[in-house]
Amino acid sequence: MTRVTEKPTPTRGGGVLVQFVLLALTWGASFLFVAIALEGLSPAQVVLGRLVTGAVALAVICLVGRHRLPPFGRIWGHLLVVGLLLCVVPFLLFAWAQQDISSGLASIYNATTPLMTMLVSLLALREERPTRDRTLGIIVGFLGVLIVLGPWNGLGGGTALAQLACLGATASYGAAFVYLRRFVSPRGLAAIPVATVQVGLGAVVMLAIAPAVAITPVSLSVPVVLAVLALGALGTGLAYVWNTNIVGAWGATNASTVTYLTPVVGVVLGVIVLAEQVSWNEPVGALIVVLGIAITQGRLHRRV
C-alpha cells in the first residue's frame, strides 16, 4: 500500500476504529487466503487473480467516487515501477514462499516491512540520517528476524530459502515506499487514483507474462475462488480505502500501528483455520521485531 495521502471524507471516530480493525483483519488474513488459493493455483496464478481482481475493485471505487486518474505521462512510468516493487515482485515472492512455509510465519516476516523501509531510506535518501533510535531499532529488529529464521535449525533447506524470499519481498516493499516518497509523493496526487493505476499496471504486467509463468493446470473450488476474490477485492481494494481514511483521521504514524496487529492475526488464523504449528522462536522473534519497529519510530522514547 502506498503512503500517498488525500483528503478523505470526514469519518466519525468510531467509524475509523472499525476500519482500523477491519484493515488489521484483512491484511493479517491475506496470508491465509494465499495458502487456501495455493491449494488449486500456482503462485503466479494466485498473483494474477489477486491483481486483476484488485484492479477491478479499485477501478469501481474510482468510478463511484469520481476520482480522476493521474494524467498519462511520466508519472505512469513511475507508477509502473511502484506496481512492480509494491505488487508484482513481493506478491510473487510471498506466494512462492508459502508453498514451503506456514501462512503465520509469512505474516511475521511481512511485519519487517517498516524495518526494511527504514533501512532503504537510510541508504537511498540523503535527508534521512541514521539517528541512534533508528540504528538501534534496525539492529534489534533484525535480531528478531534472525531468531525467527532459526539458524540453529540449518540454513540450507527449502524452508530457509522460502523465509529469505519473504525478506526479499519486504525489501521490495521498502524500496517501493522510498521510490514513492522520492518520485510520486511530491506531486501531491490523490491516494486512491494512484493505487488504481499502480495496481492496474501490475495486473497488466502479470497478464503479459502469464503465458510464460501461469500455464500450469488449475483446480478451482469455492474456497480457492473466494480466497482470490478476498485477496483482490478486500486486501487490495477496500483495504486501501480504509487505510487512506485512517491515515487522514489519525495520522500516518498512528495508522502504521496496524503493522503490530497483522502478524498476530496471521498467526492466530493459521493455527485455528489451517492447524499450523508454531515454533517457540517465531512469536519470540516477532515480538523483538515489533520492539525494533517501535524503537525506530521513537515510540518508546516518547513514552519515557
Side-chain angles (χ1 to χ4, degrees):
M1 293 300 157
T2 65
R3 293 181 180 177
V4 183
T5 59
E6 65 179 350
K7 293 181 180 179
T9 302
T11 310
R12 293 182 179 179
V16 175
L17 179 59
V18 170
Q19 291 179 63
F20 181 83
V21 173
L22 290 173
L23 185 65
L25 291 173
T26 299
W27 281 351
S30 64
F31 300 93
L32 170 65
F33 297 147
V34 169
I36 294 173
L38 285 172
E39 294 177 0
L41 303 171
S42 70
Q45 290 165 346
V46 171
V47 176
L48 175 63
R50 176 179 189 173
L51 285 177
V52 170
T53 306
V56 171
L58 285 168
V60 171
I61 291 171
C62 267
L63 286 174
V64 173
R66 297 183 179 180
H67 300 284
R68 284 189 174 184
L69 296 181
F72 186 78
R74 182 176 298 180
I75 185 62
W76 281 59
H78 289 311
L79 292 176
L80 173 60
V81 175
V82 174
L84 291 172
L85 292 175
L86 200 60
C87 300
V88 176
V89 172
F91 288 178
L92 284 171
L93 286 173
F94 269 123
W96 178 83
Q98 282 192 240
Q99 295 177 112
D100 290 324
I101 66 173
S102 68
S103 63
L105 183 54
S107 71
I108 289 175
Y109 277 114
N110 186 65
T112 66
T113 297
L115 293 176
M116 288 295 191
T117 303
M118 181 68 69
L119 183 60
V120 175
S121 296
L122 293 176
L123 295 175
L125 299 178
R126 293 181 179 179
E127 61 268 26
E128 294 289 343
R129 295 290 182 267
T131 64
R132 183 185 64 179
D133 283 349
R134 290 173 178 174
T135 302
L136 178 60
I138 289 173
I139 293 173
V140 171
F142 281 102
L143 174 62
V145 170
L146 190 63
I147 292 175
V148 174
L149 184 59
W152 52 86
N153 293 324
L155 293 176
T159 299
L161 290 176
Q163 293 183 68
L164 292 175
C166 291
L167 292 176
T170 58
S172 185
Y173 283 144
F177 288 133
V178 172
Y179 192 92
L180 273 165
R181 177 175 173 181
R182 187 164 187 175
F183 296 106
V184 179
S185 297
R187 298 172 182 264
L189 300 172
I192 293 175
V194 165
T196 301
V197 174
Q198 72 189 33
V199 173
L201 290 175
V204 170
V205 170
M206 283 305 302
L207 285 169
I209 65 175
V213 301
I215 57 176
T216 56
V218 301
S219 177
L220 295 181
S221 63
V222 172
V224 169
V225 172
L226 291 178
V228 172
L229 291 176
L231 280 170
L234 294 179
T236 313
L238 284 175
Y240 191 82
V241 178
W242 298 332
N243 185 58
T244 301
N245 289 336
I246 296 165
V247 170
W250 290 358
T253 300
N254 289 330
S256 69
T257 56
V258 72
T259 307
Y260 303 156
L261 300 179
T262 49
V264 177
V265 173
V267 170
V268 170
L269 288 177
V271 171
I272 294 176
V273 179
L274 301 177
E276 294 176 346
Q277 300 297 315
V278 179
S279 301
W280 68 267
N281 56 300
E282 293 173 9
V284 170
L287 288 174
I288 296 175
V289 167
V290 169
L291 176 62
I293 295 170
I295 293 173
T296 61
Q297 295 178 346
R299 295 181 181 277
L300 300 184
H301 178 71
R302 285 196 294 269
R303 294 183 179 183
V304 174

CSV table of all heavy atoms in Angstrom, one decimal, residues 49-91:
chain,number,residue,atom,x,y,z
A,49,GLY,N,-4.6,-13.5,-10.4
A,49,GLY,CA,-6.0,-13.4,-9.9
A,49,GLY,C,-6.2,-12.2,-8.9
A,49,GLY,O,-7.1,-11.4,-9.0
A,50,ARG,N,-5.2,-12.1,-8.0
A,50,ARG,CA,-5.2,-11.1,-7.0
A,50,ARG,C,-5.1,-9.7,-7.6
A,50,ARG,O,-5.9,-8.8,-7.2
A,50,ARG,CB,-4.1,-11.3,-6.0
A,50,ARG,CG,-3.9,-10.3,-4.9
A,50,ARG,CD,-2.8,-10.6,-4.0
A,50,ARG,NE,-2.8,-9.7,-2.9
A,50,ARG,CZ,-2.0,-9.8,-1.8
A,50,ARG,NH1,-1.1,-10.8,-1.8
A,50,ARG,NH2,-2.1,-8.9,-0.8
A,51,LEU,N,-4.2,-9.5,-8.5
A,51,LEU,CA,-4.0,-8.2,-9.1
A,51,LEU,C,-5.1,-7.8,-10.0
A,51,LEU,O,-5.6,-6.6,-10.0
A,51,LEU,CB,-2.7,-8.1,-9.8
A,51,LEU,CG,-1.4,-8.0,-8.9
A,51,LEU,CD1,-0.2,-8.0,-9.7
A,51,LEU,CD2,-1.5,-6.8,-8.0
A,52,VAL,N,-5.6,-8.7,-10.8
A,52,VAL,CA,-6.7,-8.4,-11.7
A,52,VAL,C,-8.0,-8.0,-10.9
A,52,VAL,O,-8.7,-7.0,-11.2
A,52,VAL,CB,-7.0,-9.6,-12.7
A,52,VAL,CG1,-8.3,-9.3,-13.4
A,52,VAL,CG2,-5.9,-9.7,-13.7
A,53,THR,N,-8.3,-8.8,-9.9
A,53,THR,CA,-9.4,-8.6,-9.0
A,53,THR,C,-9.3,-7.2,-8.3
A,53,THR,O,-10.2,-6.4,-8.2
A,53,THR,CB,-9.7,-9.7,-8.0
A,53,THR,OG1,-9.7,-10.9,-8.7
A,53,THR,CG2,-10.9,-9.5,-7.2
A,54,GLY,N,-8.1,-7.0,-7.8
A,54,GLY,CA,-7.8,-5.7,-7.1
A,54,GLY,C,-7.9,-4.5,-8.0
A,54,GLY,O,-8.4,-3.5,-7.6
A,55,ALA,N,-7.4,-4.7,-9.2
A,55,ALA,CA,-7.5,-3.6,-10.2
A,55,ALA,C,-9.0,-3.2,-10.5
A,55,ALA,O,-9.3,-2.1,-10.6
A,55,ALA,CB,-6.7,-3.9,-11.5
A,56,VAL,N,-9.8,-4.3,-10.7
A,56,VAL,CA,-11.2,-4.1,-11.0
A,56,VAL,C,-11.9,-3.4,-9.8
A,56,VAL,O,-12.7,-2.4,-10.0
A,56,VAL,CB,-11.9,-5.4,-11.3
A,56,VAL,CG1,-13.4,-5.2,-11.4
A,56,VAL,CG2,-11.3,-6.0,-12.6
A,57,ALA,N,-11.6,-3.9,-8.6
A,57,ALA,CA,-12.2,-3.3,-7.4
A,57,ALA,C,-11.8,-1.8,-7.3
A,57,ALA,O,-12.7,-1.0,-7.0
A,57,ALA,CB,-11.8,-4.1,-6.2
A,58,LEU,N,-10.6,-1.5,-7.4
A,58,LEU,CA,-10.1,-0.1,-7.3
A,58,LEU,C,-10.7,0.8,-8.4
A,58,LEU,O,-11.0,2.0,-8.2
A,58,LEU,CB,-8.6,0.0,-7.3
A,58,LEU,CG,-7.9,-0.4,-6.0
A,58,LEU,CD1,-6.4,-0.6,-6.2
A,58,LEU,CD2,-8.2,0.6,-4.9
A,59,ALA,N,-10.8,0.2,-9.6
A,59,ALA,CA,-11.4,1.0,-10.7
A,59,ALA,C,-12.9,1.3,-10.4
A,59,ALA,O,-13.4,2.4,-10.7
A,59,ALA,CB,-11.4,0.2,-12.0
A,60,VAL,N,-13.6,0.3,-9.8
A,60,VAL,CA,-15.0,0.6,-9.4
A,60,VAL,C,-15.1,1.7,-8.4
A,60,VAL,O,-15.9,2.6,-8.4
A,60,VAL,CB,-15.7,-0.7,-8.9
A,60,VAL,CG1,-17.0,-0.4,-8.3
A,60,VAL,CG2,-15.8,-1.7,-10.1
A,61,ILE,N,-14.2,1.6,-7.4
A,61,ILE,CA,-14.1,2.6,-6.3
A,61,ILE,C,-13.8,4.0,-6.9
A,61,ILE,O,-14.5,5.0,-6.5
A,61,ILE,CB,-13.0,2.3,-5.3
A,61,ILE,CG1,-13.5,1.0,-4.5
A,61,ILE,CG2,-12.8,3.4,-4.3
A,61,ILE,CD1,-12.4,0.5,-3.6
A,62,CYS,N,-12.9,4.1,-7.9
A,62,CYS,CA,-12.7,5.3,-8.6
A,62,CYS,C,-13.9,5.9,-9.3
A,62,CYS,O,-14.2,7.1,-9.2
A,62,CYS,CB,-11.5,5.2,-9.6
A,62,CYS,SG,-9.9,5.6,-8.9
A,63,LEU,N,-14.6,5.0,-10.0
A,63,LEU,CA,-15.8,5.4,-10.8
A,63,LEU,C,-16.9,5.9,-9.8
A,63,LEU,O,-17.5,7.0,-10.0
A,63,LEU,CB,-16.3,4.3,-11.6
A,63,LEU,CG,-15.4,3.9,-12.9
A,63,LEU,CD1,-16.0,2.7,-13.5
A,63,LEU,CD2,-15.5,5.1,-13.9
A,64,VAL,N,-17.1,5.2,-8.8
A,64,VAL,CA,-18.2,5.5,-7.8
A,64,VAL,C,-17.8,6.8,-7.1
A,64,VAL,O,-18.7,7.7,-6.9
A,64,VAL,CB,-18.4,4.4,-6.8
A,64,VAL,CG1,-19.4,4.9,-5.7
A,64,VAL,CG2,-19.0,3.2,-7.5
A,65,GLY,N,-16.6,7.0,-6.7
A,65,GLY,CA,-16.1,8.2,-6.0
A,65,GLY,C,-15.7,9.3,-6.9
A,65,GLY,O,-15.4,10.4,-6.4
A,66,ARG,N,-15.8,9.1,-8.2
A,66,ARG,CA,-15.5,10.1,-9.2
A,66,ARG,C,-14.1,10.7,-9.0
A,66,ARG,O,-13.8,11.9,-9.1
A,66,ARG,CB,-16.5,11.3,-9.2
A,66,ARG,CG,-17.9,10.8,-9.6
A,66,ARG,CD,-18.9,12.0,-9.6
A,66,ARG,NE,-20.2,11.5,-10.0
A,66,ARG,CZ,-21.3,12.3,-10.1
A,66,ARG,NH1,-21.1,13.6,-9.8
A,66,ARG,NH2,-22.5,11.8,-10.4
A,67,HIS,N,-13.1,9.7,-8.8
A,67,HIS,CA,-11.7,10.1,-8.6
A,67,HIS,C,-11.1,10.2,-10.0
A,67,HIS,O,-11.3,9.3,-10.8
A,67,HIS,CB,-11.0,9.1,-7.8
A,67,HIS,CG,-11.5,9.0,-6.4
A,67,HIS,ND1,-11.3,9.9,-5.4
A,67,HIS,CD2,-12.3,8.0,-5.8
A,67,HIS,CE1,-11.8,9.5,-4.3
A,67,HIS,NE2,-12.5,8.4,-4.5
A,68,ARG,N,-10.3,11.2,-10.3
A,68,ARG,CA,-9.6,11.3,-11.5
A,68,ARG,C,-8.3,10.6,-11.5
A,68,ARG,O,-7.5,10.8,-10.5
A,68,ARG,CB,-9.4,12.8,-11.9
A,68,ARG,CG,-10.6,13.5,-12.4
A,68,ARG,CD,-10.2,14.9,-12.9
A,68,ARG,NE,-11.3,15.6,-13.5
A,68,ARG,CZ,-11.2,16.8,-14.1
A,68,ARG,NH1,-10.0,17.4,-14.1
A,68,ARG,NH2,-12.2,17.4,-14.6
A,69,LEU,N,-8.0,9.8,-12.5
A,69,LEU,CA,-6.7,9.2,-12.6
A,69,LEU,C,-5.6,10.2,-12.9
A,69,LEU,O,-5.9,11.3,-13.5
A,69,LEU,CB,-6.7,8.1,-13.6
A,69,LEU,CG,-7.6,6.9,-13.4
A,69,LEU,CD1,-7.5,5.9,-14.6
A,69,LEU,CD2,-7.3,6.2,-12.1
A,70,PRO,N,-4.3,10.0,-12.5
A,70,PRO,CA,-3.3,10.9,-12.9
A,70,PRO,C,-3.1,11.0,-14.4
A,70,PRO,O,-3.4,10.0,-15.1
A,70,PRO,CB,-2.0,10.3,-12.3
A,70,PRO,CG,-2.5,9.3,-11.2
A,70,PRO,CD,-3.9,8.9,-11.7
A,71,PRO,N,-2.8,12.2,-14.9
A,71,PRO,CA,-2.7,12.3,-16.4
A,71,PRO,C,-1.6,11.4,-16.9
A,71,PRO,O,-0.5,11.2,-16.3
A,71,PRO,CB,-2.3,13.8,-16.6
A,71,PRO,CG,-1.7,14.2,-15.2
A,71,PRO,CD,-2.4,13.4,-14.2
A,72,PHE,N,-1.8,10.8,-18.1
A,72,PHE,CA,-0.9,9.9,-18.7
A,72,PHE,C,0.4,10.6,-19.0
A,72,PHE,O,0.4,11.7,-19.6
A,72,PHE,CB,-1.5,9.3,-19.9
A,72,PHE,CG,-0.6,8.2,-20.5
A,72,PHE,CD1,-0.6,6.9,-20.0
A,72,PHE,CD2,0.2,8.5,-21.6
A,72,PHE,CE1,0.3,5.9,-20.5
A,72,PHE,CE2,1.1,7.5,-22.1
A,72,PHE,CZ,1.1,6.2,-21.6
A,73,GLY,N,1.5,10.0,-18.7
A,73,GLY,CA,2.8,10.7,-18.9
A,73,GLY,C,3.9,10.0,-18.0
A,73,GLY,O,3.8,8.8,-17.7
A,74,ARG,N,4.9,10.8,-17.7
A,74,ARG,CA,6.0,10.3,-16.9
A,74,ARG,C,5.5,9.6,-15.6
A,74,ARG,O,6.1,8.7,-15.1
A,74,ARG,CB,7.0,11.4,-16.6
A,74,ARG,CG,8.2,10.9,-15.9
A,74,ARG,CD,9.3,12.1,-15.7
A,74,ARG,NE,9.7,12.5,-17.0
A,74,ARG,CZ,10.6,13.5,-17.2
A,74,ARG,NH1,11.1,14.1,-16.1
A,74,ARG,NH2,11.0,13.8,-18.4
A,75,ILE,N,4.5,10.2,-15.0
A,75,ILE,CA,4.1,9.7,-13.7
A,75,ILE,C,3.6,8.2,-13.8
A,75,ILE,O,3.8,7.4,-12.9
A,75,ILE,CB,2.9,10.5,-13.1
A,75,ILE,CG1,2.5,10.1,-11.7
A,75,ILE,CG2,1.7,10.5,-14.0
A,75,ILE,CD1,3.6,10.1,-10.7
A,76,TRP,N,3.1,7.9,-15.0
A,76,TRP,CA,2.7,6.5,-15.2
A,76,TRP,C,3.9,5.6,-15.2
A,76,TRP,O,3.8,4.4,-14.8
A,76,TRP,CB,1.8,6.3,-16.5
A,76,TRP,CG,0.4,6.8,-16.3
A,76,TRP,CD1,0.0,8.0,-15.9
A,76,TRP,CD2,-0.8,6.0,-16.5
A,76,TRP,NE1,-1.4,8.0,-15.8
A,76,TRP,CE2,-1.9,6.8,-16.2
A,76,TRP,CE3,-1.0,4.7,-16.9
A,76,TRP,CZ2,-3.2,6.4,-16.3
A,76,TRP,CZ3,-2.3,4.2,-17.0
A,76,TRP,CH2,-3.4,5.0,-16.7
A,77,GLY,N,5.0,6.1,-15.7
A,77,GLY,CA,6.2,5.3,-15.7
A,77,GLY,C,6.7,5.0,-14.3
A,77,GLY,O,7.1,3.9,-13.9
A,78,HIS,N,6.6,6.1,-13.4
A,78,HIS,CA,7.0,5.9,-12.0
A,78,HIS,C,6.0,4.9,-11.3
A,78,HIS,O,6.5,4.1,-10.5
A,78,HIS,CB,6.9,7.3,-11.3
A,78,HIS,CG,8.0,8.2,-11.7
A,78,HIS,ND1,9.3,7.9,-11.7
A,78,HIS,CD2,7.9,9.5,-12.0
A,78,HIS,CE1,10.1,8.9,-12.0
A,78,HIS,NE2,9.2,9.9,-12.3
A,79,LEU,N,4.7,5.0,-11.7
A,79,LEU,CA,3.8,4.1,-11.0
A,79,LEU,C,3.9,2.7,-11.5
A,79,LEU,O,3.6,1.7,-10.8
A,79,LEU,CB,2.3,4.6,-11.3
A,79,LEU,CG,2.0,5.9,-10.6
A,79,LEU,CD1,0.6,6.4,-10.9
A,79,LEU,CD2,2.1,5.7,-9.0
A,80,LEU,N,4.5,2.5,-12.7
A,80,LEU,CA,4.8,1.2,-13.2
A,80,LEU,C,5.9,0.6,-12.3
A,80,LEU,O,5.8,-0.6,-11.9
A,80,LEU,CB,5.2,1.2,-14.7
A,80,LEU,CG,5.8,-0.1,-15.2
A,80,LEU,CD1,4.7,-1.2,-15.2
A,80,LEU,CD2,6.2,0.1,-16.7
A,81,VAL,N,6.9,1.4,-12.0
A,81,VAL,CA,8.0,0.9,-11.1
A,81,VAL,C,7.4,0.5,-9.8
A,81,VAL,O,7.7,-0.5,-9.2
A,81,VAL,CB,9.1,1.9,-11.0
A,81,VAL,CG1,10.1,1.5,-10.0
A,81,VAL,CG2,9.7,2.2,-12.3
A,82,VAL,N,6.5,1.4,-9.3
A,82,VAL,CA,5.9,1.1,-8.0
A,82,VAL,C,5.1,-0.1,-8.0
A,82,VAL,O,5.1,-1.0,-7.1
A,82,VAL,CB,5.0,2.3,-7.5
A,82,VAL,CG1,4.2,2.0,-6.3
A,82,VAL,CG2,5.9,3.6,-7.3
A,83,GLY,N,4.3,-0.3,-9.1
A,83,GLY,CA,3.5,-1.5,-9.3
A,83,GLY,C,4.3,-2.8,-9.2
A,83,GLY,O,3.9,-3.8,-8.7
A,84,LEU,N,5.5,-2.7,-9.8
A,84,LEU,CA,6.4,-3.9,-9.8
A,84,LEU,C,6.9,-4.1,-8.4
A,84,LEU,O,6.9,-5.3,-7.9
A,84,LEU,CB,7.6,-3.7,-10.8
A,84,LEU,CG,7.2,-3.7,-12.3
A,84,LEU,CD1,8.4,-3.2,-13.1
A,84,LEU,CD2,6.7,-5.1,-12.7
A,85,LEU,N,7.4,-3.1,-7.8
A,85,LEU,CA,8.0,-3.2,-6.5
A,85,LEU,C,7.0,-3.5,-5.3
A,85,LEU,O,7.4,-4.1,-4.3
A,85,LEU,CB,8.9,-2.0,-6.1
A,85,LEU,CG,10.1,-1.7,-7.0
A,85,LEU,CD1,10.7,-0.3,-6.6
A,85,LEU,CD2,11.1,-2.8,-6.8
A,86,LEU,N,5.8,-2.9,-5.5
A,86,LEU,CA,4.9,-3.0,-4.4
A,86,LEU,C,3.9,-4.1,-4.6
A,86,LEU,O,3.2,-4.5,-3.6
A,86,LEU,CB,4.1,-1.6,-4.3
A,86,LEU,CG,3.4,-1.3,-2.9
A,86,LEU,CD1,4.4,-1.3,-1.8
A,86,LEU,CD2,2.7,0.0,-3.0
A,87,CYS,N,3.7,-4.6,-5.8
A,87,CYS,CA,2.7,-5.6,-6.0
A,87,CYS,C,3.3,-6.9,-6.7
A,87,CYS,O,3.3,-7.9,-6.0
A,87,CYS,CB,1.6,-5.0,-7.0
A,87,CYS,SG,0.7,-3.6,-6.3
A,88,VAL,N,3.8,-6.8,-7.9
A,88,VAL,CA,4.2,-8.0,-8.6
A,88,VAL,C,5.3,-8.8,-7.9
A,88,VAL,O,5.1,-10.0,-7.6
A,88,VAL,CB,4.6,-7.6,-10.1
A,88,VAL,CG1,5.1,-8.8,-10.8
A,88,VAL,CG2,3.5,-6.9,-10.8
A,89,VAL,N,6.4,-8.1,-7.6
A,89,VAL,CA,7.6,-8.8,-7.0
A,89,VAL,C,7.3,-9.4,-5.7
A,89,VAL,O,7.4,-10.6,-5.4
A,89,VAL,CB,8.8,-7.9,-7.0
A,89,VAL,CG1,9.9,-8.6,-6.2
A,89,VAL,CG2,9.3,-7.6,-8.4
A,90,PRO,N,6.8,-8.6,-4.7
A,90,PRO,CA,6.5,-9.2,-3.4
A,90,PRO,C,5.4,-10.2,-3.3
A,90,PRO,O,5.5,-11.2,-2.6
A,90,PRO,CB,6.2,-7.9,-2.5
A,90,PRO,CG,5.8,-6.9,-3.5
A,90,PRO,CD,6.5,-7.1,-4.7
A,91,PHE,N,4.3,-9.9,-4.1
A,91,PHE,CA,3.3,-10.9,-4.1
A,91,PHE,C,3.7,-12.3,-4.7
A,91,PHE,O,3.4,-13.3,-4.1
A,91,PHE,CB,2.1,-10.4,-5.0
A,91,PHE,CG,1.3,-9.3,-4.4
A,91,PHE,CD1,0.3,-8.7,-5.1
A,91,PHE,CD2,1.6,-8.8,-3.2
A,91,PHE,CE1,-0.4,-7.6,-4.6
A,91,PHE,CE2,0.9,-7.7,-2.6
A,91,PHE,CZ,-0.1,-7.1,-3.4
